[in-house]
Amino acid sequence: MKPLKVGLLGLGTVGGGTFTVLTRNAEEIRRRAGRSIEVAMVADLDEAKAKALVGDSGAHIVPDARQVIANPEIDVVVELIGGYGIAKTLVMEAIAAGKHVVTANKALLA
């Protein structure tokens, strides 16, 4: 079975932690879920910071979150931006594009 390809929107404190947890625990996730998860793309305005965090993981770094949403290879979009302005717009665009969306953004959900 092909890996579930994930795109992260934002690599701040929470986004960076999410990236680390998903990559560090990839084998355990695969074992428990029966399918591997691959962080395939990350979007952050600070590309230099993103490159430092992502390293040689193979994740493609882009400055525009819409590139993640538009990528047909991405199965799941994880919103890690916060707030309810652009985060809401991007979540709605991801849903319209047929992506699964994950968020813990309380402001957006409220």
Side-chain angles (χ1 to χ4, degrees):
M1 184 176 286
K2 74 176 191 153
L4 186 70
K5 294 199 177 192
V6 175
L8 303 181
L9 307 184
L11 279 180
T13 302
V14 175
T18 300
F19 176 83
T20 300
V21 167
L22 288 175
T23 55
R24 181 180 52 212
N25 298 315
E27 182 55 34
E28 182 65 15
I29 292 168
R30 186 205 55 75
R31 187 184 68 74
R32 288 184 182 197
R35 184 175 182 186
S36 60
I37 291 180
E38 173 189 336
V39 179
M41 284 185 91
V42 296
D44 197 277
L45 294 174
D46 188 343
E47 288 182 271
K49 181 186 79 171
K51 287 178 185 174
L53 178 68
V54 169
D56 62 354
S57 69
H60 183 64
I61 301 166
V62 295
D64 182 357
R66 287 184 171 95
Q67 289 178 269
V68 175
I69 295 166
N71 185 331
E73 295 292 313
I74 299 298
D75 302 304
V76 178
V77 173
V78 183
E79 182 275 312
L80 299 156
I81 296 169
Y84 51 84
I86 189 66
K88 177 183 178 189
T89 300
L90 294 171
V91 163
M92 297 307 288
E93 288 177 15
I95 291 168
K99 308 291 184 184
H100 298 281
V101 174
V102 177
T103 186
N105 182 340
K106 294 179 282 303
L108 176 64
L109 295 173

